[in-house]
Amino acid sequence: MNENRKQLIHLTVNGEVQSVAVESHWTLSRVLRNDCGHTGLKEACGEGACGACTVLIDGVAVPSCMVLAVEQEGKSIETVEGLSKNGVLHPIQEAWLEEYGAQCGFCSPGMIMSTKALLAKNPDPTEDEIKEALGGNICICNNYEHIINAVRSAAKKMREKA
Amino acid sequence: MAELTAIGKSVRQKDGRARVTGEAKYYADFILPGMLQIRILRSPLPAATILSMDTAEAEAYPGVHLVMTHLNFPKAFRKELYYVGDLVAAVVADDETIAEEAMHLIKVEYEKKKPILNMDDAMKDGARQVFDGVDNIQDWPFHAFLSDKDPETGLYKTKTPSDYNGFGDIEKGFAEADYIIEQNHLKYAYCKSPAMEPRGCSADFDGNRLQVYTHSQGMHDEKLCLAQALGIPSSMVNYNAPYTGSSFGGKNAFPLDPNIASHYLVVAGFACLELRKPVHCPYSREEEMVSGWSRGSDTYVKIGFKKDGTLTTMDMIHRQETGAGGDKYPAKNAMLATGAVLYSHNCRHLRGKIQNVNTNRYPAAGWQGYGAPEGMFAVETTMDMAAYELGIDPVELRKMNCMRAGDIDAGWDPLSYISAIISSSGIRDCLDAGAEALDWKNTWRHPSEKTGRIRHGMGVAIFAMGAGRPGPGNSSEAMVKIYPDGSAALVCAVADIGQGQHTVQCQIVAEVLGLPYKKVGMVCHDTDSTPFATLVSNSCGTWIQGWATYEAALDAKQRLLKLAAAHMGVKAEELDMNEKGIFMTAAPDKGCTFAEAFGTRGHYGGLHEVTGYYVNNSPHPHGIHNGKPDEIYIPKEKGAQFISLDVDTETGMILNARVTMAQNVGKALNPKIVAGQLCTSRHGVDNAMLGNECVADKRNGWLMTANWVDYRHCTAMDCDVDPIVIEKPGDPTHPFGATACGEGAACPTLAAFSNAIYNAIGVRIIETPYTPERILRGLGKIEDKRRKK
Amino acid sequence: MRRFNHFNASTMENAVSLLNESEGPAYVIAGGSDLMGCLKDNLWIEAPERVVNLKTIPGLKYILVEDGDLHLGALATLTEIAESDTVKLQWPGLAEAARRTASPLLRNMGTIAGNICQENRCWYFRYPDKIGGRIDCVRKGGKRCLAVPGDHRFHSIFGAVNKCIAVNPSDTAPALVVLDATVKTTKREIPIDEFFTAEMGAQSTVLDRDEIVTEIVVPAPQAGPNSAFRKIAYRKSIDFALVNCAAALVIRDGKVESARICLNAVYNNPRRCEASEELLKGRELTEELAQEAGRLAVAEAKPLLQNGFKVQMAKTIVSDTLMDCI
Ligand SMILES: Cc1cc2nc3c(=O)[nH]c(=O)nc-3n(C[C@H](O)[C@H](O)[C@H](O)COP(=O)(O)OP(=O)(O)OC[C@H]3O[C@@H](n4cnc5c(N)ncnc54)[C@H](O)[C@@H]3O)c2cc1C
Ligand code: SF4
Ligand code: FES
Ligand code: FES
């Protein structure tokens, strides 16, 4: 019954072009999770205050729960699911495993995407720069010590690879 | 013990890969075809009766499948409403927008009642009863007086019901004391029991089985309750809870109690059974915020000392808010802070009274410590006052008096035992380690020596917390399977809510079987596939499930060795196993492969798995002293926490807060997991310095802090934690000498903070949170004379 | 969230006519970091009928210096402003204000125009409809203010405007005020001192319903880049100010020639500290003088029962911010 309210948009999600019919008030997080099958993305506060839903839109980290899907026509979106390629983990994910970056793991998809944006801009961040860059991502398990180590170790791995 | 290969190593998280790739399925990630959405209409009033409801318009709204109220689903909804946000009705619709739109079409007529919105009002003479016929203040119904001390073991032999917990004669104790330190109205604010993932569930019914998808701290307990609440046989329900997006006690679901915050299960369960369609009932953050609060206490403490600082006598009255019901007795752990446990070494006379108080605020739930942080807050600030008054270093005063191994736990949990022997302590080591890390001896200064605008302060507090409880109901089972390819699987239901249980349990299996950790798999998806495990509360996983896992692995190993012995024509006792197969202990080059032991030839013939099984009805035999069942050991979480901070005396802000958290864990089964657990001290930091409390509008009962903007949790930038893990002395009640680690970290923080603030500015604040308002007022810097509270 | 109609504007004129054509309330959306929260909580008495997207209008996302003046396109994000070397060098108070706003994620989406047009954060005003229903207070067109008799620990210490004691929560507003910015709109140029008002119902600015900010112009510093911003908040990130303050000084020959000081989160509108500004004129800025300026800044404070602490904070932050300027 609501088909008539829907609008078709085209997104590139993790490199794959998708066409989705969305209602104007749907958030990007809702559409990615429910309509594009990217449930790796989490929603925890729904109001921009925790970063669990962080995705990269054209390379910029934003909370997808605060973004309208209709406004994303033609955008390129990266979620945590896009990081590993053919079962090979991204260095950030590897670092997360080594350093025990996840406790319950509910903040991890968002933290990892914020980390990706940080390291793209700043390949060798200091501890304070890491803390500041993750300043929009809450971890209720309070696993920040391990998370900061994981970001450091990921940075190192990525510098070595580059 | 032979050198450990898996235990004590920071192996990778068992299901870590799924968590970092996004493949891990938390409940909301089960998106079932044709799933309907449930939205809940919530009470605008804190206390009211529903007089009438008109749902016709909502029912007729296109896309709506069902409107649920107390009229058609009396087991899921009530006519009486007890808090703003209480459940009024639910709409099941094609999508969430339709459900929301229809929800607003429901017309409800309420009769308002006068709400009780704080503990003081609830306790006033003649106050309206929150629940008709139930006193607003209730005594803990299991108070008991202990007497008849066995001179040899120190254990008490007699337990008499009483109106308080205790032993000795406090009148006498105080009469003989040289110093008496007393504080009243120590108030730990009512705070939100947090979780990253808001609560909720999905349900699917195929006419035969009801599949429930949710998060859990104990899926079997929850399933049994849910089946009973829905009035269907337990065998009909399969409870799927493969991942939980954290829970610190708050998400323990108990659907049988209408006051507890697990209505989503009952609402979704009934909707699904009625419609025979999959349904999804997620709580938004705002709904989560009106479900499951904790802390919230008002405590009186009086402690008697000898001149030399020996603590002899203690009195405590601890009142705890339980809001509009919910978890009934979250307060009893406050007793852990008293001479019953934490100060059991010298305390000879004790009285401790526990009460809970109902209000029309949001229902209470458990949270990390379950009363212990409130008790520690009250007692450890009072101990700090004592240290200053007696002129004894705060660290030393604690070292003199804190519990030691062999002291008697006298009544922390009088349900299941009279008294018990504390199996290990190490608090004094923790005090030393923390003090050394901060160079306490050289840098500690009396507040009177502090000058300038920014003043530095250091505070300490110690703690003891349960680490699993012996006694009925606290049982867990495990099944360990060994396969012919030399891999193994642990099948059990212990919940991994972020605390690392799945990893640690697999480490135990790997250690016992001599297999690499990687070859041990974990099966813990739902109730259908697993045997019973008690819920993970009281940080009991390592202890209760740990024993079950250990014994099941041993059992499996014995069975396999027997098979190998038969194959090799030797005695099983002569054999051992490792990654490569089975070998003779005396001649490691002689042995057989797994396949040979199993006798398998491909799929034909032989055995395909060997299964070990154990049910641990705690206490495990190792938890019994001298083989006498009435002399049991009880393990504890324990340690010391130090806070170092600066106070800006002009703004009242706390700056540069740093936590040093030292805990004796006996044995760190996985050091990184343990360090991560110690960092949960930040939950205390949230409550101390981020201004968090339950702000309910004093006339209307609205929750003003119903989101994560107005209710704050630490970011990476706000506070650092230095974990110090101490591993001695190994605890005798655990196969690897471990105790527990999890809830302890949040217990001492509020006291240590208050003590550090006092140390910085000479102002003692005994009401949380430590807001700039309270600090500036303490410093005499708020001029407004009109203000009163 | 309720349904609404969404339009992508192609030009400013198009955006204005889309607003004008709307039958019910219409809002423009820039980054959306504030508007989305309002939509999700369904907090207005009349739900928005349409939302008009400005991000599809080309050429609004710039940071330029022309003749020494700073030109900020309406869609310039807070991240871009905070990280701009020019802004950091010439207008440090503004760069710092942007850097201290919200969180890195929100600064990536939040725009400068959205920041100064955001709705207030009074917790009664923002009460979500999901847990018992919206609260219709005076500011929304209802009858009463709930904060005065209720919990107002974070509210105004300088009295009410039209019975409302909500504070303006913006971090960049005080910085733009002390830098004497001009707000250019589709209709006019508004000096920043006249831009904010709590007189017009829910919104916090003088903008007409169909008026859109196109650019913000900040004049070149007269003597040197002597501006600063400070914020007191519980958290270092994701947190609104308990009190914030910006100051900009013109210093010649070691003396303050003129000063602009602005407190925010203390009153409905950003609040210039005129008496303190006067005090500084012609004098050398010392610690003592800064403290005196702080005292003067709160001389007229009228704290309520619960928020006296903000007076002390405001006093202190004024003197601290002044000292940061040199
Ligand atoms: C968790 C959280 C924390 C936050 N913390 C802070 C903080 O610390 N400090 C702070 O200042 N803010 C904070 N904010 C508010 C917000 O993120 C910022 O104010 C941001 O700059 C708003 O910009 P935007 O582009 O996202 O605005 P939008 O949400 O797009 O718009 C906000 C309002 O301005 C109007 N508007 C937008 N652009 C224009 C224009 N060009 N002309 C006319 N009207 C316009 C919109 O109609 C809307 O009413 C926070 C928000 C959240 C969710
Ligand atoms: S302070 Fe203003 S916004 Fe808040 S309740 Fe009062 S009138 Fe409404
Ligand atoms: S869920 Fe989007 S920021 Fe919290
Ligand atoms: S790991 Fe649980 S929220 Fe971060």
Side-chain angles (χ1 to χ4, degrees):
Chain A
M1 59 154 283
N2 296 311
E3 287 314 311
N4 56 345
R5 301 193 224 239
K6 286 188 182 164
Q7 212 170 313
L8 200 65
I9 57 163
H10 308 84
L11 308 171
T12 308
V13 188
N14 300 327
E16 207 178 291
V17 182
Q18 298 205 4
S19 308
V20 214
V22 304
E23 289 199 45
S24 55
H25 65 292
W26 286 358
T27 61
L28 180 61
S29 56
R30 192 251 188 228
V31 169
L32 288 172
R33 284 180 51 82
N34 293 10
D35 305 291
C36 303
H38 292 282
T39 54
L41 174 153
K42 300 291 173 254
E43 219 182 279
C45 75
E47 59 201 338
C50 78
C53 62
T54 305
V55 301
L56 308 189
I57 301 182
D58 291 340
V60 179
V62 294
S64 58
C65 73
M66 298 294 275
V67 168
L68 289 174
V70 274
E71 297 182 355
Q72 306 314 312
E73 173 62 38
K75 296 270 162 70
S76 167
I77 290 155
E78 283 171 80
T79 72
V80 73
E81 286 109 330
L83 286 189
S84 56
K85 296 269 164 349
N86 307 322
V88 180
L89 295 185
H90 189 278
I92 301 175
Q93 293 168 315
E94 274 294 330
W96 234 256
L97 289 181
E98 275 166 23
E99 297 299 334
Y100 223 94
Q103 286 192 24
C104 77
F106 209 73
C107 70
S108 309
M111 285 278 183
I112 288 174
M113 294 319 284
S114 283
T115 302
K116 180 153 195 261
L118 164 70
L119 298 182
K121 232 168 154 175
N122 179 354
D124 191 8
T126 63
E127 177 161 339
D128 282 343
E129 286 167 344
I130 296 173
K131 285 180 179 172
E132 183 152 353
L134 298 182
N137 294 74
I138 295 285
C139 172
I140 286 284
C141 298
N142 286 302
N143 201 31
Y144 297 116
E145 277 69 19
H146 289 338
I147 290 171
I148 291 164
N149 288 340
V151 177
R152 252 201 232 106
S153 143
K156 188 154 170 272
K157 281 180 204 293
M158 288 167 68
R159 284 199 310 275
E160 278 162 8
K161 238 175 107 183
Chain B
M1 205 183 282
E3 203 185 315
L4 298 172
T5 55
I7 292 293
K9 308 279 186 289
S10 291
V11 299
R12 289 185 176 197
Q13 189 176 29
K14 190 82 268 175
D15 25 28
R17 198 187 158 95
R19 290 182 210 248
V20 301
T21 53
E23 282 155 7
K25 276 196 185 292
Y26 299 81
Y27 92 85
D29 304 336
F30 291 92
I31 295 177
L32 311 172
M35 188 157 79
L36 304 178
Q37 297 290 331
I38 303 183
R39 287 296 180 274
I40 294 168
L41 178 67
R42 292 176 177 275
S43 173
L45 299 167
T49 306
I50 297 176
L51 294 179
S52 67
M53 295 184 90
D54 179 357
T55 56
E57 216 181 321
E59 276 159 16
Y61 197 72
V64 170
H65 293 250
L66 181 66
V67 177
M68 306 168 76
T69 69
H70 72 275
L71 298 167
N72 51 358
F73 290 93
K75 281 178 165 171
F77 297 88
R78 293 178 293 192
K79 212 173 144 187
E80 299 298 322
L81 303 172
Y82 297 99
Y83 58 97
V84 168
D86 205 347
L87 286 81
V88 174
V91 177
V92 192
D94 281 336
D95 76 20
E96 70 276 14
T97 314
I98 298 173
E100 237 174 85
E101 284 167 345
M103 201 172 84
H104 291 285
L105 300 174
I106 299 175
K107 294 184 197 75
V108 190
E109 196 190 338
Y110 302 98
E111 181 181 50
K112 284 189 194 176
K113 292 184 195 166
K114 188 177 161 16
I116 308 268
L117 292 166
N118 60 59
M119 274 170 88
D120 291 342
D121 287 352
M123 294 190 289
K124 273 188 195 138
D125 281 344
R128 189 182 68 79
Q129 289 176 332
V130 170
F131 294 103
D132 286 339
V134 181
D135 281 343
N136 289 344
I137 315 181
Q138 296 140 51
D139 272 14
W140 158 243
F142 307 105
H143 280 136
F145 186 77
L146 304 184
S147 57
D148 231 352
K149 202 171 166 79
D150 183 319
E152 222 170 280
T153 59
L155 289 164
Y156 292 91
K157 287 187 275 190
T158 308
K159 172 162 101 174
T160 322
S162 166
D163 59 1
Y164 63 89
N165 279 348
F167 50 78
D169 176 349
I170 64 154
E171 312 278 319
K172 184 162 163 260
F174 284 123
E176 289 172 7
D178 297 320
Y179 288 99
I180 294 176
I181 311 292
E182 191 175 6
Q183 288 198 96
N184 202 0
H185 300 305
L186 294 138
K187 292 188 179 176
Y188 194 135
Y190 205 35
C191 292
K192 180 69 180 79
S193 180
M196 196 72 194
E197 170 200 37
R199 67 196 70 204
C201 70
S202 295
D204 191 8
F205 184 54
D206 63 3
N208 184 22
R209 305 292 309 286
L210 180 70
Q211 299 286 343
V212 176
Y213 301 88
T214 186
H215 39 70
S216 174
Q217 283 193 220
M219 49 190 172
H220 287 273
D221 283 292
E222 293 178 18
K223 166 187 126 165
L224 294 173
C225 291
L226 178 61
Q228 201 178 332
L230 297 175
I232 57 176
S234 299
S235 56
M236 254 172 82
V237 183
N238 185 29
Y239 210 79
N240 298 264
Y243 290 92
T244 293
S246 83
S247 174
F248 298 88
K251 274 156 69 183
N252 258 337
F254 186 52
L256 277 175
D257 187 335
N259 298 321
I260 209 164
S262 35
H263 312 279
Y264 52 93
L265 288 166
V266 185
V267 172
F270 278 121
C272 184
L273 291 173
E274 172 86 13
L275 296 169
R276 301 203 165 202
K277 289 212 166 103
V279 297
H280 184 52
C281 184
Y283 278 18
S284 66
R285 177 57 52 188
E286 292 83 354
E287 293 177 283
E288 169 64 38
M289 289 304 283
V290 293
S291 315
W293 285 69
S294 194
R295 316 288 183 236
S297 54
D298 183 336
T299 310
Y300 165 79
V301 177
K302 182 174 171 185
I303 311 179
F305 295 89
K306 291 285 177 204
K307 270 206 188 66
D308 66 355
T310 308
L311 180 161
T312 60
T313 311
M314 232 170 150
D315 193 7
M316 174 166 94
I317 303 172
H318 181 76
R319 300 195 167 114
Q320 185 121 9
E321 176 161 357
T322 39
D327 221 330
K328 282 242 169 12
Y329 304 111
K332 71 167 195 320
N333 279 5
M335 285 305 293
L336 281 158
T338 68
V341 176
L342 188 62
Y343 287 110
S344 51
H345 193 65
N346 293 324
C347 187
R348 292 296 161 262
H349 314 282
L350 173 72
R351 181 169 72 176
K353 194 174 176 65
I354 303 289
Q355 298 182 312
N356 62 286
V357 180
N358 284 126
T359 64
N360 288 114
R361 299 209 290 186
Y362 324 97
W367 180 13
Q368 229 183 354
Y370 220 89
E374 298 90 303
M376 304 295 154
F377 160 65
V379 168
E380 285 295 280
T381 49
T382 312
M383 285 299 285
D384 210 58
M385 275 178 78
Y388 284 94
E389 194 121 331
L390 273 67
I392 300 177
D393 180 292
V395 171
E396 290 307 316
L397 184 67
R398 290 174 170 90
K399 278 176 76 177
M400 280 167 74
N401 291 298
C402 68
M403 73 174 197
R404 304 179 194 181
D407 285 338
I408 300 305
D409 172 328
W412 155 55
D413 188 356
L415 281 180
S416 40
Y417 56 94
I418 300 177
S419 63
I421 305 163
I422 295 170
S423 55
S424 62
S425 174
I427 294 180
R428 289 181 301 163
D429 298 321
C430 295
L431 281 164
D432 285 341
E436 198 185 314
L438 290 178
D439 196 15
W440 177 278
K441 283 214 173 72
N442 297 312
T443 56
W444 189 90
R445 297 277 175 279
H446 192 273
S448 61
E449 296 171 41
K450 318 248 164 140
T451 52
R453 171 170 164 183
I454 308 289
R455 298 192 191 165
H456 180 66
M458 291 194 294
V460 62
I462 58 173
F463 70 95
M465 176 53 207
R469 193 181 7 240
N474 294 294
S475 67
S476 284
E477 302 167 34
M479 228 151 62
V480 170
K481 298 176 185 234
I482 308 177
Y483 299 107
D485 63 357
S487 68
L490 168 63
V491 185
C492 76
V494 70
D496 194 321
I497 49 179
Q499 88 285 43
Q501 274 308 329
H502 288 181
T503 306
V504 166
Q505 300 296 335
C506 288
Q507 284 178 268
I508 293 176
V509 174
E511 191 64 52
V512 172
L513 300 183
L515 296 178
Y517 166 75
K518 272 190 183 164
K519 288 204 169 170
V520 180
M522 179 87 191
V523 179
C524 184
H525 182 94
D526 59 3
T527 50
D528 274 2
S529 62
T530 55
F532 182 85
T534 190
L535 46 95
V536 286
S537 65
N538 242 304
S539 303
C540 70
T542 305
W543 198 61
I544 296 181
Q545 183 68 49
W547 267 121
T549 301
Y550 177 82
E551 295 280 9
L554 268 186
D555 184 29
K557 178 173 171 177
Q558 295 315 329
R559 288 169 196 272
L560 178 62
L561 294 187
K562 269 193 204 139
L563 285 179
H567 171 78
M568 290 165 67
V570 297
K571 285 200 195 111
E573 294 75 47
E574 296 174 85
L575 298 176
D576 203 347
M577 64 181 282
N578 64 16
E579 183 182 3
K580 296 192 197 87
I582 296 97
F583 58 92
M584 305 272 302
T585 324
D589 52 334
K590 282 198 196 129
C592 66
T593 63
F594 287 104
E596 284 165 346
F598 278 89
T600 39
R601 299 183 304 278
H603 281 295
Y604 308 101
L607 290 169
H608 295 89
E609 62 181 37
V610 160
T611 304
Y613 172 75
Y614 190 77
V615 46
N616 178 23
N617 278 314
S618 70
H620 182 272
H622 271 75
I624 294 171
H625 180 236
N626 292 336
K628 296 182 190 155
D630 58 343
E631 294 182 13
I632 56 171
Y633 281 117
I634 187 153
K636 290 281 179 287
E637 271 196 78
K638 60 266 150 169
Q641 189 176 91
F642 291 73
I643 303 286
S644 142
L645 50 71
D646 294 326
V647 176
D648 182 337
T649 56
E650 292 299 323
T651 61
M653 296 302 289
I654 295 170
L655 315 170
N656 306 319
R658 190 167 195 109
V659 181
T660 303
M661 173 72 199
Q663 179 162 342
N664 176 24
V665 298
K667 172 80 192 166
L669 303 183
N670 183 317
K672 279 200 179 135
I673 293 184
V674 167
Q677 291 300 296
L678 300 196
C679 295
T680 59
S681 316
R682 278 201 193 74
H683 284 162
V685 178
D686 291 349
N687 296 348
M689 62 170 223
L690 299 186
N692 285 339
E693 62 183 302
C694 179
V695 183
D697 179 74
K698 60 180 184 257
R699 297 174 310 150
N700 301 293
W702 300 312
L703 177 61
M704 305 324 301
T705 50
N707 57 59
W708 275 0
V709 179
D710 295 310
Y711 197 93
R712 305 169 189 85
H713 295 285
C714 280
T715 70
M717 300 171 79
D718 294 303
C719 166
D720 288 333
V721 183
D722 296 320
I724 301 180
V725 178
I726 293 186
E727 296 190 90
K728 61 176 181 183
D731 194 281
T733 64
H734 189 269
F736 298 105
T739 54
C741 180
E743 295 178 83
C747 293
T749 316
L750 276 288
F753 248 95
S754 171
N755 299 344
I757 293 169
Y758 180 80
N759 181 249
I761 57 174
V763 175
R764 187 160 295 284
I765 306 180
I766 57 168
E767 206 171 325
T768 83
Y770 309 126
T771 56
E773 206 266 347
R774 291 194 169 117
I775 289 173
L776 291 172
R777 191 161 293 282
L779 290 165
K781 292 208 168 142
I782 297 187
E783 284 156 27
D784 178 18
K785 289 173 195 73
R786 284 166 54 204
R787 188 197 174 276
K788 60 167 201 308
K789 200 188 166 192
Chain C
M1 216 186 323
R2 298 294 187 85
R3 289 177 218 271
F4 49 77
N5 295 312
H6 182 274
F7 297 89
N8 288 324
S10 51
T11 60
M12 270 296 170
E13 297 71 48
N14 176 230
V16 171
S17 41
L18 284 166
L19 288 176
N20 275 326
E21 285 158 15
S22 181
E23 279 161 21
Y27 290 84
V28 296
I29 184 166
S33 62
D34 176 50
L35 191 77
M36 286 297 286
C38 299
L39 290 168
K40 285 181 170 206
D41 290 338
N42 194 22
L43 54 79
W44 293 292
I45 294 180
E46 242 186 303
E49 193 237 285
R50 53 169 77 171
V51 169
V52 177
N53 183 15
L54 301 182
K55 291 185 292 296
T56 39
I57 304 176
L60 278 181
K61 197 172 152 77
Y62 55 85
I63 301 177
L64 288 175
V65 180
E66 257 177 44
D67 300 334
D69 295 347
L70 175 68
H71 294 254
L72 301 170
L75 292 184
T77 65
L78 297 170
T79 300
E80 288 158 352
I81 294 168
E83 291 179 355
S84 154
D85 289 332
T86 329
V87 181
K88 279 197 269 192
L89 214 61
Q90 294 290 314
W91 298 274
L94 177 60
E96 179 64 7
R99 192 184 72 85
R100 293 284 279 118
T101 300
S103 79
L105 302 172
L106 292 162
R107 294 196 288 276
N108 283 345
M109 58 194 292
T111 64
I112 186 74
N115 192 271
I116 57 173
C117 296
Q118 65 180 302
E119 300 273 12
N120 81 79
R121 284 272 160 183
C122 164
W123 48 21
Y124 294 92
F125 184 88
R126 292 262 171 178
Y127 194 82
D129 78 335
K130 300 180 191 83
I131 46 171
R134 186 184 74 219
I135 298 174
D136 295 339
C137 66
V138 177
R139 185 76 178 260
K140 296 183 194 171
K143 288 202 186 66
R144 298 167 305 154
C145 166
L146 284 306
V148 170
D151 199 305
H152 49 245
R153 65 185 73 184
F154 301 129
H155 286 72
S156 169
I157 51 171
F158 288 100
V161 172
N162 282 346
K163 293 192 196 154
C164 171
I165 55 167
V167 297
N168 182 305
S170 167
D171 282 321
T172 64
L176 293 171
V177 168
V178 299
L179 294 170
D180 205 7
T182 300
V183 181
K184 290 194 178 166
T185 75
T186 43
K187 291 190 175 168
R188 52 187 160 159
E189 291 189 9
I190 311 171
I192 191 86
D193 279 332
E194 292 161 25
F195 183 72
F196 297 100
T197 175
E199 301 272 348
M200 306 213 350
Q203 71 183 74
S204 21
T205 68
V206 297
L207 295 180
D208 295 337
R209 276 292 172 207
D210 62 348
E211 185 174 12
I212 303 171
V213 175
T214 54
E215 185 185 68
I216 295 164
V217 184
V218 184
Q222 286 180 37
N226 299 104
S227 66
F229 172 85
R230 276 200 178 219
K231 171 173 178 176
I232 302 178
Y234 275 115
R235 287 189 290 188
K236 294 212 176 80
S237 183
I238 335 179
D239 218 354
F240 286 93
L242 294 166
V243 173
N244 66 17
C245 179
L249 306 179
V250 178
I251 300 179
R252 289 210 171 89
D253 306 325
K255 299 235 162 76
V256 178
E257 191 177 284
S258 69
R260 286 172 72 94
I261 308 169
C262 182
L263 282 165
N264 205 10
V266 293
Y267 181 59
N268 296 66
N269 304 321
R271 191 173 170 98
R272 283 275 298 282
C273 310
E274 279 152 5
S276 316
E277 293 171 0
E278 275 309 308
L279 173 80
L280 299 184
K281 271 192 194 152
R283 297 172 68 174
E284 187 190 337
L285 184 60
T286 60
E287 191 80 44
E288 291 69 42
L289 188 66
Q291 281 172 10
E292 184 53 30
R295 276 190 288 276
L296 270 183
V298 296
E300 282 168 30
K302 289 174 276 192
L304 298 156
L305 289 173
Q306 294 174 303
N307 63 7
F309 74 98
K310 285 179 60 166
V311 177
Q312 170 66 25
M313 275 187 177
K315 177 174 104 185
T316 311
I317 201 172
V318 166
S319 60
D320 287 351
T321 312
L322 283 172
M323 293 313 289
D324 285 350
C325 289
I326 51 174

